[in-house]
PDB file of all heavy atoms in Angstrom:
ATOM      1  N   THR A   1      95.629 -57.511-106.293  1.00  0.00           N
ATOM      2  CA  THR A   1      94.468 -56.978-107.112  1.00  0.00           C
ATOM      3  C   THR A   1      94.747 -55.673-107.594  1.00  0.00           C
ATOM      4  O   THR A   1      95.367 -54.841-106.944  1.00  0.00           O
ATOM      5  CB  THR A   1      93.324 -56.963-106.216  1.00  0.00           C
ATOM      6  OG1 THR A   1      92.951 -58.232-105.628  1.00  0.00           O
ATOM      7  CG2 THR A   1      92.135 -56.381-106.860  1.00  0.00           C
ATOM      8  N   VAL A   2      94.288 -55.478-108.936  1.00  0.00           N
ATOM      9  CA  VAL A   2      94.474 -54.212-109.636  1.00  0.00           C
ATOM     10  C   VAL A   2      93.056 -53.618-109.735  1.00  0.00           C
ATOM     11  O   VAL A   2      92.067 -54.380-110.013  1.00  0.00           O
ATOM     12  CB  VAL A   2      95.221 -54.331-110.985  1.00  0.00           C
ATOM     13  CG1 VAL A   2      94.479 -55.247-112.013  1.00  0.00           C
ATOM     14  CG2 VAL A   2      95.517 -52.994-111.546  1.00  0.00           C
ATOM     15  N   TYR A   3      93.019 -52.257-109.597  1.00  0.00           N
ATOM     16  CA  TYR A   3      91.785 -51.569-109.667  1.00  0.00           C
ATOM     17  C   TYR A   3      91.800 -50.580-110.745  1.00  0.00           C
ATOM     18  O   TYR A   3      92.963 -49.974-111.044  1.00  0.00           O
ATOM     19  CB  TYR A   3      91.406 -50.730-108.310  1.00  0.00           C
ATOM     20  CG  TYR A   3      91.384 -51.848-107.111  1.00  0.00           C
ATOM     21  CD1 TYR A   3      92.588 -52.045-106.270  1.00  0.00           C
ATOM     22  CD2 TYR A   3      90.230 -52.532-106.745  1.00  0.00           C
ATOM     23  CE1 TYR A   3      92.495 -52.871-105.336  1.00  0.00           C
ATOM     24  CE2 TYR A   3      90.160 -53.329-105.722  1.00  0.00           C
ATOM     25  CZ  TYR A   3      91.227 -53.584-104.988  1.00  0.00           C
ATOM     26  OH  TYR A   3      91.230 -54.329-103.906  1.00  0.00           O
ATOM     27  N   LEU A   4      90.587 -50.177-111.346  1.00  0.00           N
ATOM     28  CA  LEU A   4      90.613 -49.094-112.224  1.00  0.00           C
ATOM     29  C   LEU A   4      89.331 -48.166-111.872  1.00  0.00           C
ATOM     30  O   LEU A   4      88.173 -48.803-112.023  1.00  0.00           O
ATOM     31  CB  LEU A   4      90.300 -49.520-113.728  1.00  0.00           C
ATOM     32  CG  LEU A   4      90.388 -48.420-114.651  1.00  0.00           C
ATOM     33  CD1 LEU A   4      91.813 -47.823-114.822  1.00  0.00           C
ATOM     34  CD2 LEU A   4      90.018 -48.987-116.095  1.00  0.00           C
ATOM     35  N   GLN A   5      89.601 -47.011-111.189  1.00  0.00           N
ATOM     36  CA  GLN A   5      88.701 -46.127-110.790  1.00  0.00           C
ATOM     37  C   GLN A   5      88.244 -45.414-112.030  1.00  0.00           C
ATOM     38  O   GLN A   5      89.270 -44.642-112.609  1.00  0.00           O
ATOM     39  CB  GLN A   5      89.053 -45.243-109.652  1.00  0.00           C
ATOM     40  CG  GLN A   5      88.185 -44.131-109.217  1.00  0.00           C
ATOM     41  CD  GLN A   5      86.812 -44.652-108.708  1.00  0.00           C
ATOM     42  OE1 GLN A   5      86.727 -45.560-107.943  1.00  0.00           O
ATOM     43  NE2 GLN A   5      85.670 -44.138-109.218  1.00  0.00           N
ATOM     44  N   MET A   6      87.150 -45.303-112.529  1.00  0.00           N
ATOM     45  CA  MET A   6      86.631 -44.637-113.734  1.00  0.00           C
ATOM     46  C   MET A   6      85.576 -43.602-113.317  1.00  0.00           C
ATOM     47  O   MET A   6      84.561 -43.887-112.821  1.00  0.00           O
ATOM     48  CB  MET A   6      86.046 -45.598-114.660  1.00  0.00           C
ATOM     49  CG  MET A   6      86.979 -46.746-115.143  1.00  0.00           C
ATOM     50  SD  MET A   6      86.274 -47.809-116.339  1.00  0.00           S
ATOM     51  CE  MET A   6      84.958 -48.553-115.639  1.00  0.00           C
ATOM     52  N   ASN A   7      86.043 -42.362-113.489  1.00  0.00           N
ATOM     53  CA  ASN A   7      85.074 -41.143-113.168  1.00  0.00           C
ATOM     54  C   ASN A   7      84.728 -40.454-114.499  1.00  0.00           C
ATOM     55  O   ASN A   7      85.331 -40.576-115.527  1.00  0.00           O
ATOM     56  CB  ASN A   7      85.846 -40.201-112.321  1.00  0.00           C
ATOM     57  CG  ASN A   7      86.053 -40.806-110.880  1.00  0.00           C
ATOM     58  OD1 ASN A   7      85.376 -41.716-110.486  1.00  0.00           O
ATOM     59  ND2 ASN A   7      87.124 -40.468-110.365  1.00  0.00           N
ATOM     60  N   ASN A   8      83.605 -39.648-114.422  1.00  0.00           N
ATOM     61  CA  ASN A   8      83.129 -38.923-115.529  1.00  0.00           C
ATOM     62  C   ASN A   8      83.016 -39.740-116.824  1.00  0.00           C
ATOM     63  O   ASN A   8      83.555 -39.255-117.899  1.00  0.00           O
ATOM     64  CB  ASN A   8      84.066 -37.634-115.698  1.00  0.00           C
ATOM     65  CG  ASN A   8      83.536 -36.610-116.710  1.00  0.00           C
ATOM     66  OD1 ASN A   8      82.242 -36.656-117.012  1.00  0.00           O
ATOM     67  ND2 ASN A   8      84.463 -35.851-117.339  1.00  0.00           N
ATOM     68  N   LEU A   9      82.401 -40.854-116.694  1.00  0.00           N
ATOM     69  CA  LEU A   9      82.343 -41.759-117.805  1.00  0.00           C
ATOM     70  C   LEU A   9      81.554 -41.280-118.963  1.00  0.00           C
ATOM     71  O   LEU A   9      80.598 -40.306-118.773  1.00  0.00           O
ATOM     72  CB  LEU A   9      81.654 -43.016-117.385  1.00  0.00           C
ATOM     73  CG  LEU A   9      82.816 -44.016-116.620  1.00  0.00           C
ATOM     74  CD1 LEU A   9      81.988 -45.063-115.704  1.00  0.00           C
ATOM     75  CD2 LEU A   9      83.631 -44.661-117.595  1.00  0.00           C
ATOM     76  N   LYS A  10      81.971 -41.514-120.171  1.00  0.00           N
ATOM     77  CA  LYS A  10      81.313 -40.988-121.303  1.00  0.00           C
ATOM     78  C   LYS A  10      80.893 -42.195-122.176  1.00  0.00           C
ATOM     79  O   LYS A  10      81.314 -43.350-122.021  1.00  0.00           O
ATOM     80  CB  LYS A  10      82.436 -40.194-122.197  1.00  0.00           C
ATOM     81  CG  LYS A  10      83.079 -39.193-121.423  1.00  0.00           C
ATOM     82  CD  LYS A  10      84.205 -38.500-122.280  1.00  0.00           C
ATOM     83  CE  LYS A  10      84.913 -37.262-121.575  1.00  0.00           C
ATOM     84  NZ  LYS A  10      85.892 -36.566-122.318  1.00  0.00           N
ATOM     85  N   PRO A  11      79.875 -41.902-123.083  1.00  0.00           N
ATOM     86  CA  PRO A  11      79.349 -42.961-123.978  1.00  0.00           C
ATOM     87  C   PRO A  11      80.405 -43.772-124.770  1.00  0.00           C
ATOM     88  O   PRO A  11      80.421 -45.014-124.972  1.00  0.00           O
ATOM     89  CB  PRO A  11      78.426 -42.370-124.827  1.00  0.00           C
ATOM     90  CG  PRO A  11      77.917 -41.218-124.039  1.00  0.00           C
ATOM     91  CD  PRO A  11      79.092 -40.642-123.323  1.00  0.00           C
ATOM     92  N   GLU A  12      81.471 -43.012-125.114  1.00  0.00           N
ATOM     93  CA  GLU A  12      82.537 -43.686-125.826  1.00  0.00           C
ATOM     94  C   GLU A  12      83.384 -44.526-125.028  1.00  0.00           C
ATOM     95  O   GLU A  12      84.285 -45.206-125.547  1.00  0.00           O
ATOM     96  CB  GLU A  12      83.386 -42.537-126.571  1.00  0.00           C
ATOM     97  CG  GLU A  12      84.015 -41.476-125.618  1.00  0.00           C
ATOM     98  CD  GLU A  12      83.079 -40.135-125.696  1.00  0.00           C
ATOM     99  OE1 GLU A  12      81.852 -40.375-125.745  1.00  0.00           O
ATOM    100  OE2 GLU A  12      83.645 -39.170-125.783  1.00  0.00           O
ATOM    101  N   ASP A  13      83.209 -44.652-123.758  1.00  0.00           N
ATOM    102  CA  ASP A  13      83.936 -45.481-122.830  1.00  0.00           C
ATOM    103  C   ASP A  13      83.324 -46.903-122.786  1.00  0.00           C
ATOM    104  O   ASP A  13      83.828 -47.940-122.289  1.00  0.00           O
ATOM    105  CB  ASP A  13      83.937 -44.988-121.399  1.00  0.00           C
ATOM    106  CG  ASP A  13      84.749 -43.701-121.245  1.00  0.00           C
ATOM    107  OD1 ASP A  13      85.928 -43.842-121.845  1.00  0.00           O
ATOM    108  OD2 ASP A  13      84.376 -42.839-120.496  1.00  0.00           O
ATOM    109  N   THR A  14      82.110 -46.990-123.516  1.00  0.00           N
ATOM    110  CA  THR A  14      81.353 -48.302-123.623  1.00  0.00           C
ATOM    111  C   THR A  14      82.114 -49.322-124.290  1.00  0.00           C
ATOM    112  O   THR A  14      82.746 -49.156-125.397  1.00  0.00           O
ATOM    113  CB  THR A  14      79.982 -48.018-124.212  1.00  0.00           C
ATOM    114  OG1 THR A  14      79.112 -47.236-123.504  1.00  0.00           O
ATOM    115  CG2 THR A  14      79.366 -49.407-124.567  1.00  0.00           C
ATOM    116  N   ALA A  15      82.381 -50.398-123.639  1.00  0.00           N
ATOM    117  CA  ALA A  15      83.273 -51.551-124.109  1.00  0.00           C
ATOM    118  C   ALA A  15      83.258 -52.619-123.103  1.00  0.00           C
ATOM    119  O   ALA A  15      82.745 -52.582-121.938  1.00  0.00           O
ATOM    120  CB  ALA A  15      84.682 -51.010-124.273  1.00  0.00           C
ATOM    121  N   VAL A  16      83.807 -53.811-123.562  1.00  0.00           N
ATOM    122  CA  VAL A  16      84.126 -54.843-122.621  1.00  0.00           C
ATOM    123  C   VAL A  16      85.633 -54.649-122.104  1.00  0.00           C
ATOM    124  O   VAL A  16      86.474 -54.393-123.035  1.00  0.00           O
ATOM    125  CB  VAL A  16      84.134 -56.158-123.272  1.00  0.00           C
ATOM    126  CG1 VAL A  16      84.452 -57.292-122.170  1.00  0.00           C
ATOM    127  CG2 VAL A  16      82.687 -56.438-123.781  1.00  0.00           C
ATOM    128  N   TYR A  17      85.750 -54.440-120.799  1.00  0.00           N
ATOM    129  CA  TYR A  17      87.089 -54.246-120.213  1.00  0.00           C
ATOM    130  C   TYR A  17      87.691 -55.554-119.789  1.00  0.00           C
ATOM    131  O   TYR A  17      87.146 -56.274-119.150  1.00  0.00           O
ATOM    132  CB  TYR A  17      86.918 -53.236-119.087  1.00  0.00           C
ATOM    133  CG  TYR A  17      86.638 -51.804-119.586  1.00  0.00           C
ATOM    134  CD1 TYR A  17      85.479 -51.486-120.187  1.00  0.00           C
ATOM    135  CD2 TYR A  17      87.660 -50.916-119.358  1.00  0.00           C
ATOM    136  CE1 TYR A  17      85.282 -50.194-120.579  1.00  0.00           C
ATOM    137  CE2 TYR A  17      87.561 -49.581-119.883  1.00  0.00           C
ATOM    138  CZ  TYR A  17      86.253 -49.342-120.379  1.00  0.00           C
ATOM    139  OH  TYR A  17      86.008 -47.908-120.816  1.00  0.00           O
ATOM    140  N   TYR A  18      88.977 -55.729-120.192  1.00  0.00           N
ATOM    141  CA  TYR A  18      89.768 -57.027-119.929  1.00  0.00           C
ATOM    142  C   TYR A  18      91.003 -56.651-119.070  1.00  0.00           C
ATOM    143  O   TYR A  18      91.534 -55.641-119.525  1.00  0.00           O
ATOM    144  CB  TYR A  18      90.221 -57.643-121.265  1.00  0.00           C
ATOM    145  CG  TYR A  18      89.111 -58.185-122.088  1.00  0.00           C
ATOM    146  CD1 TYR A  18      88.535 -57.398-123.137  1.00  0.00           C
ATOM    147  CD2 TYR A  18      88.583 -59.538-121.892  1.00  0.00           C
ATOM    148  CE1 TYR A  18      87.485 -57.884-123.802  1.00  0.00           C
ATOM    149  CE2 TYR A  18      87.596 -60.003-122.715  1.00  0.00           C
ATOM    150  CZ  TYR A  18      87.080 -59.202-123.646  1.00  0.00           C
ATOM    151  OH  TYR A  18      85.910 -59.761-124.412  1.00  0.00           O
ATOM    152  N   CYS A  19      91.185 -57.338-118.086  1.00  0.00           N
ATOM    153  CA  CYS A  19      92.387 -57.316-117.267  1.00  0.00           C
ATOM    154  C   CYS A  19      93.380 -58.230-118.031  1.00  0.00           C
ATOM    155  O   CYS A  19      93.146 -59.301-118.604  1.00  0.00           O
ATOM    156  CB  CYS A  19      92.019 -57.802-115.944  1.00  0.00           C
ATOM    157  SG  CYS A  19      93.504 -57.784-114.822  1.00  0.00           S
ATOM    158  N   HIS A  20      94.722 -57.741-117.910  1.00  0.00           N
ATOM    159  CA  HIS A  20      95.770 -58.428-118.543  1.00  0.00           C
ATOM    160  C   HIS A  20      97.073 -58.414-117.623  1.00  0.00           C
ATOM    161  O   HIS A  20      97.356 -57.427-117.065  1.00  0.00           O
ATOM    162  CB  HIS A  20      96.092 -58.061-119.984  1.00  0.00           C
ATOM    163  CG  HIS A  20      97.358 -58.748-120.612  1.00  0.00           C
ATOM    164  ND1 HIS A  20      98.581 -58.195-120.382  1.00  0.00           N
ATOM    165  CD2 HIS A  20      97.404 -59.804-121.284  1.00  0.00           C
ATOM    166  CE1 HIS A  20      99.344 -59.125-121.089  1.00  0.00           C
ATOM    167  NE2 HIS A  20      98.592 -60.095-121.565  1.00  0.00           N
ATOM    168  N   THR A  21      97.807 -59.470-117.530  1.00  0.00           N
ATOM    169  CA  THR A  21      99.011 -59.444-116.860  1.00  0.00           C
ATOM    170  C   THR A  21     100.114 -60.323-117.403  1.00  0.00           C
ATOM    171  O   THR A  21      99.769 -61.410-118.128  1.00  0.00           O
ATOM    172  CB  THR A  21      98.830 -59.823-115.434  1.00  0.00           C
ATOM    173  OG1 THR A  21      99.938 -59.388-114.680  1.00  0.00           O
ATOM    174  CG2 THR A  21      98.505 -61.273-115.160  1.00  0.00           C
ATOM    175  N   VAL A  22     101.461 -59.916-117.212  1.00  0.00           N
ATOM    176  CA  VAL A  22     102.380 -60.796-117.513  1.00  0.00           C
ATOM    177  C   VAL A  22     103.331 -60.703-116.283  1.00  0.00           C
ATOM    178  O   VAL A  22     103.401 -59.662-115.553  1.00  0.00           O
ATOM    179  CB  VAL A  22     103.291 -60.301-118.737  1.00  0.00           C
ATOM    180  CG1 VAL A  22     102.479 -60.496-119.980  1.00  0.00           C
ATOM    181  CG2 VAL A  22     103.818 -58.929-118.724  1.00  0.00           C
ATOM    182  N   MET A  23     104.183 -61.697-116.107  1.00  0.00           N
ATOM    183  CA  MET A  23     105.260 -61.669-115.071  1.00  0.00           C
ATOM    184  C   MET A  23     106.357 -60.741-115.453  1.00  0.00           C
ATOM    185  O   MET A  23     106.801 -60.709-116.565  1.00  0.00           O
ATOM    186  CB  MET A  23     105.724 -63.068-114.818  1.00  0.00           C
ATOM    187  CG  MET A  23     106.785 -63.254-113.768  1.00  0.00           C
ATOM    188  SD  MET A  23     107.407 -64.849-113.465  1.00  0.00           S
ATOM    189  CE  MET A  23     108.277 -65.143-115.039  1.00  0.00           C
ATOM    190  N   GLY A  24     106.839 -60.032-114.400  1.00  0.00           N
ATOM    191  CA  GLY A  24     107.810 -59.059-114.742  1.00  0.00           C
ATOM    192  C   GLY A  24     107.464 -57.839-115.405  1.00  0.00           C
ATOM    193  O   GLY A  24     106.294 -57.299-115.312  1.00  0.00           O
ATOM    194  N   THR A  25     108.445 -57.242-116.235  1.00  0.00           N
ATOM    195  CA  THR A  25     108.192 -55.997-116.995  1.00  0.00           C
ATOM    196  C   THR A  25     107.997 -56.272-118.366  1.00  0.00           C
ATOM    197  O   THR A  25     108.889 -56.758-119.018  1.00  0.00           O
ATOM    198  CB  THR A  25     109.378 -55.052-116.652  1.00  0.00           C
ATOM    199  OG1 THR A  25     109.619 -54.856-115.138  1.00  0.00           O
ATOM    200  CG2 THR A  25     109.136 -53.685-117.352  1.00  0.00           C
ATOM    201  N   LEU A  26     106.987 -55.674-118.967  1.00  0.00           N
ATOM    202  CA  LEU A  26     106.687 -55.677-120.437  1.00  0.00           C
ATOM    203  C   LEU A  26     106.537 -54.283-120.788  1.00  0.00           C
ATOM    204  O   LEU A  26     105.473 -53.617-120.483  1.00  0.00           O
ATOM    205  CB  LEU A  26     105.568 -56.514-120.756  1.00  0.00           C
ATOM    206  CG  LEU A  26     105.004 -56.636-122.174  1.00  0.00           C
ATOM    207  CD1 LEU A  26     106.215 -57.210-123.116  1.00  0.00           C
ATOM    208  CD2 LEU A  26     103.928 -57.330-122.428  1.00  0.00           C
ATOM    209  N   LYS A  27     107.391 -53.604-121.662  1.00  0.00           N
ATOM    210  CA  LYS A  27     107.289 -52.244-122.102  1.00  0.00           C
ATOM    211  C   LYS A  27     107.520 -52.325-123.488  1.00  0.00           C
ATOM    212  O   LYS A  27     108.125 -53.064-124.170  1.00  0.00           O
ATOM    213  CB  LYS A  27     108.139 -51.400-121.365  1.00  0.00           C
ATOM    214  CG  LYS A  27     107.902 -51.239-119.848  1.00  0.00           C
ATOM    215  CD  LYS A  27     108.773 -50.179-119.143  1.00  0.00           C
ATOM    216  CE  LYS A  27     108.211 -50.015-117.759  1.00  0.00           C
ATOM    217  NZ  LYS A  27     109.011 -48.941-116.998  1.00  0.00           N
ATOM    218  N   PRO A  28     106.927 -51.223-124.078  1.00  0.00           N
ATOM    219  CA  PRO A  28     106.066 -50.091-123.573  1.00  0.00           C
ATOM    220  C   PRO A  28     104.823 -50.581-123.077  1.00  0.00           C
ATOM    221  O   PRO A  28     104.173 -51.560-123.452  1.00  0.00           O
ATOM    222  CB  PRO A  28     105.836 -49.122-124.825  1.00  0.00           C
ATOM    223  CG  PRO A  28     105.963 -49.964-125.990  1.00  0.00           C
ATOM    224  CD  PRO A  28     107.051 -51.095-125.617  1.00  0.00           C
ATOM    225  N   LEU A  29     104.347 -49.961-121.907  1.00  0.00           N
ATOM    226  CA  LEU A  29     103.068 -50.353-121.259  1.00  0.00           C
ATOM    227  C   LEU A  29     101.938 -50.075-122.185  1.00  0.00           C
ATOM    228  O   LEU A  29     101.820 -49.166-122.873  1.00  0.00           O
ATOM    229  CB  LEU A  29     102.933 -49.365-120.057  1.00  0.00           C
ATOM    230  CG  LEU A  29     104.043 -49.581-118.832  1.00  0.00           C
ATOM    231  CD1 LEU A  29     103.671 -48.568-117.827  1.00  0.00           C
ATOM    232  CD2 LEU A  29     103.964 -51.053-118.384  1.00  0.00           C
ATOM    233  N   CYS A  30     100.949 -51.051-122.011  1.00  0.00           N
ATOM    234  CA  CYS A  30      99.674 -51.107-122.691  1.00  0.00           C
ATOM    235  C   CYS A  30      99.707 -51.201-124.143  1.00  0.00           C
ATOM    236  O   CYS A  30      98.669 -50.772-124.753  1.00  0.00           O
ATOM    237  CB  CYS A  30      98.999 -49.758-122.269  1.00  0.00           C
ATOM    238  SG  CYS A  30      97.760 -49.982-120.792  1.00  0.00           S
ATOM    239  N   VAL A  31     100.714 -51.625-124.725  1.00  0.00           N
ATOM    240  CA  VAL A  31     100.708 -51.984-126.083  1.00  0.00           C
ATOM    241  C   VAL A  31     100.123 -53.427-126.151  1.00  0.00           C
ATOM    242  O   VAL A  31     100.500 -54.232-125.359  1.00  0.00           O
ATOM    243  CB  VAL A  31     102.091 -51.920-126.750  1.00  0.00           C
ATOM    244  CG1 VAL A  31     102.139 -52.528-128.075  1.00  0.00           C
ATOM    245  CG2 VAL A  31     102.686 -50.623-126.649  1.00  0.00           C
ATOM    246  N   HIS A  32      99.367 -53.679-127.080  1.00  0.00           N
ATOM    247  CA  HIS A  32      98.661 -54.935-127.137  1.00  0.00           C
ATOM    248  C   HIS A  32      99.717 -56.116-127.136  1.00  0.00           C
ATOM    249  O   HIS A  32     100.623 -56.132-127.920  1.00  0.00           O
ATOM    250  CB  HIS A  32      97.991 -55.151-128.478  1.00  0.00           C
ATOM    251  CG  HIS A  32      96.869 -56.255-128.415  1.00  0.00           C
ATOM    252  ND1 HIS A  32      97.339 -57.593-128.269  1.00  0.00           N
ATOM    253  CD2 HIS A  32      95.485 -56.396-128.413  1.00  0.00           C
ATOM    254  CE1 HIS A  32      96.205 -58.476-128.439  1.00  0.00           C
ATOM    255  NE2 HIS A  32      95.223 -57.680-128.405  1.00  0.00           N
ATOM    256  N   PRO A  33      99.624 -57.035-126.120  1.00  0.00           N
ATOM    257  CA  PRO A  33     100.703 -57.983-125.858  1.00  0.00           C
ATOM    258  C   PRO A  33     100.672 -59.260-126.780  1.00  0.00           C
ATOM    259  O   PRO A  33     101.434 -60.164-126.642  1.00  0.00           O
ATOM    260  CB  PRO A  33     100.426 -58.351-124.429  1.00  0.00           C
ATOM    261  CG  PRO A  33      98.931 -58.359-124.417  1.00  0.00           C
ATOM    262  CD  PRO A  33      98.450 -57.150-125.087  1.00  0.00           C
ATOM    263  N   GLY A  34      99.723 -59.288-127.797  1.00  0.00           N
ATOM    264  CA  GLY A  34      99.583 -60.423-128.511  1.00  0.00           C
ATOM    265  C   GLY A  34      99.240 -61.674-127.783  1.00  0.00           C
ATOM    266  O   GLY A  34      98.301 -61.792-127.053  1.00  0.00           O
ATOM    267  N   SER A  35     100.049 -62.736-127.858  1.00  0.00           N
ATOM    268  CA  SER A  35      99.860 -63.983-127.179  1.00  0.00           C
ATOM    269  C   SER A  35     100.521 -64.081-125.831  1.00  0.00           C
ATOM    270  O   SER A  35     100.332 -65.104-125.217  1.00  0.00           O
ATOM    271  CB  SER A  35     100.277 -65.107-127.994  1.00  0.00           C
ATOM    272  OG  SER A  35     101.609 -65.034-128.272  1.00  0.00           O
ATOM    273  N   LEU A  36     101.207 -63.034-125.509  1.00  0.00           N
ATOM    274  CA  LEU A  36     101.983 -63.099-124.255  1.00  0.00           C
ATOM    275  C   LEU A  36     100.811 -62.770-122.948  1.00  0.00           C
ATOM    276  O   LEU A  36      99.953 -62.084-123.087  1.00  0.00           O
ATOM    277  CB  LEU A  36     102.963 -61.900-124.129  1.00  0.00           C
ATOM    278  CG  LEU A  36     104.179 -62.144-125.050  1.00  0.00           C
ATOM    279  CD1 LEU A  36     105.064 -60.916-125.000  1.00  0.00           C
ATOM    280  CD2 LEU A  36     104.905 -63.422-124.814  1.00  0.00           C
ATOM    281  N   GLY A  37     101.198 -63.426-121.871  1.00  0.00           N
ATOM    282  CA  GLY A  37     100.487 -63.198-120.563  1.00  0.00           C
ATOM    283  C   GLY A  37      99.088 -63.861-120.536  1.00  0.00           C
ATOM    284  O   GLY A  37      98.762 -64.836-121.247  1.00  0.00           O
ATOM    285  N   TYR A  38      98.308 -63.361-119.642  1.00  0.00           N
ATOM    286  CA  TYR A  38      97.021 -63.864-119.206  1.00  0.00           C
ATOM    287  C   TYR A  38      95.918 -62.771-119.364  1.00  0.00           C
ATOM    288  O   TYR A  38      96.208 -61.519-118.989  1.00  0.00           O
ATOM    289  CB  TYR A  38      97.124 -64.295-117.789  1.00  0.00           C
ATOM    290  CG  TYR A  38      98.137 -65.467-117.504  1.00  0.00           C
ATOM    291  CD1 TYR A  38      99.415 -65.193-117.276  1.00  0.00           C
ATOM    292  CD2 TYR A  38      97.730 -66.868-117.636  1.00  0.00           C
ATOM    293  CE1 TYR A  38     100.453 -66.089-117.080  1.00  0.00           C
ATOM    294  CE2 TYR A  38      98.805 -67.783-117.569  1.00  0.00           C
ATOM    295  CZ  TYR A  38     100.093 -67.426-117.247  1.00  0.00           C
ATOM    296  OH  TYR A  38     100.927 -68.452-117.037  1.00  0.00           O
ATOM    297  N   TRP A  39      94.744 -63.171-119.769  1.00  0.00           N
ATOM    298  CA  TRP A  39      93.706 -62.346-119.848  1.00  0.00           C
ATOM    299  C   TRP A  39      92.554 -62.792-118.862  1.00  0.00           C
ATOM    300  O   TRP A  39      92.407 -63.936-118.612  1.00  0.00           O
ATOM    301  CB  TRP A  39      93.035 -62.321-121.379  1.00  0.00           C
ATOM    302  CG  TRP A  39      93.955 -61.736-122.346  1.00  0.00           C
ATOM    303  CD1 TRP A  39      94.750 -62.384-123.124  1.00  0.00           C
ATOM    304  CD2 TRP A  39      93.925 -60.310-122.722  1.00  0.00           C
ATOM    305  NE1 TRP A  39      95.486 -61.611-124.045  1.00  0.00           N
ATOM    306  CE2 TRP A  39      94.947 -60.253-123.716  1.00  0.00           C
ATOM    307  CE3 TRP A  39      93.415 -59.174-122.260  1.00  0.00           C
ATOM    308  CZ2 TRP A  39      95.175 -59.043-124.283  1.00  0.00           C
ATOM    309  CZ3 TRP A  39      93.726 -58.017-122.844  1.00  0.00           C
ATOM    310  CH2 TRP A  39      94.580 -57.962-123.888  1.00  0.00           C
ATOM    311  N   GLY A  40      91.835 -61.830-118.402  1.00  0.00           N
ATOM    312  CA  GLY A  40      90.578 -62.073-117.624  1.00  0.00           C
ATOM    313  C   GLY A  40      89.446 -62.348-118.637  1.00  0.00           C
ATOM    314  O   GLY A  40      89.564 -62.227-119.843  1.00  0.00           O
ATOM    315  N   GLN A  41      88.209 -62.609-118.092  1.00  0.00           N
ATOM    316  CA  GLN A  41      87.210 -63.081-119.020  1.00  0.00           C
ATOM    317  C   GLN A  41      86.433 -61.766-119.512  1.00  0.00           C
ATOM    318  O   GLN A  41      85.619 -61.959-120.406  1.00  0.00           O
ATOM    319  CB  GLN A  41      86.169 -63.836-118.087  1.00  0.00           C
ATOM    320  CG  GLN A  41      85.219 -63.082-117.180  1.00  0.00           C
ATOM    321  CD  GLN A  41      85.904 -62.575-115.811  1.00  0.00           C
ATOM    322  OE1 GLN A  41      87.089 -62.918-115.600  1.00  0.00           O
ATOM    323  NE2 GLN A  41      85.080 -62.044-115.040  1.00  0.00           N
ATOM    324  N   GLY A  42      86.646 -60.605-119.034  1.00  0.00           N
ATOM    325  CA  GLY A  42      86.054 -59.495-119.472  1.00  0.00           C
ATOM    326  C   GLY A  42      84.920 -59.018-118.638  1.00  0.00           C
ATOM    327  O   GLY A  42      84.116 -59.856-118.012  1.00  0.00           O
TER     328      GLY A  42
END
């Protein structure tokens, strides 16, 4: 399980948050993966 602790939240943080994963290493980190990997439902 991966967690995201979010403190001092701001109105601009408002969004649908999606979890994403791929097997192994995909870098650079956090660049939109396109069609690779798996997404959560948000």
Side-chain angles (χ1 to χ4, degrees):
T1 298
V2 64
Y3 302 93
L4 186 67
Q5 173 68 43
M6 305 185 294
N7 297 326
N8 190 22
L9 282 160
K10 303 176 180 180
E12 52 263 42
D13 295 317
T14 295
V16 179
Y17 284 69
Y18 293 90
C19 181
H20 177 269
T21 192
V22 296
M23 180 180 67
T25 303
L26 179 64
K27 291 192 177 181
L29 293 177
C30 262
V31 173
H32 195 293
S35 60
L36 294 176
Y38 301 86
W39 292 95
Q41 80 280 5

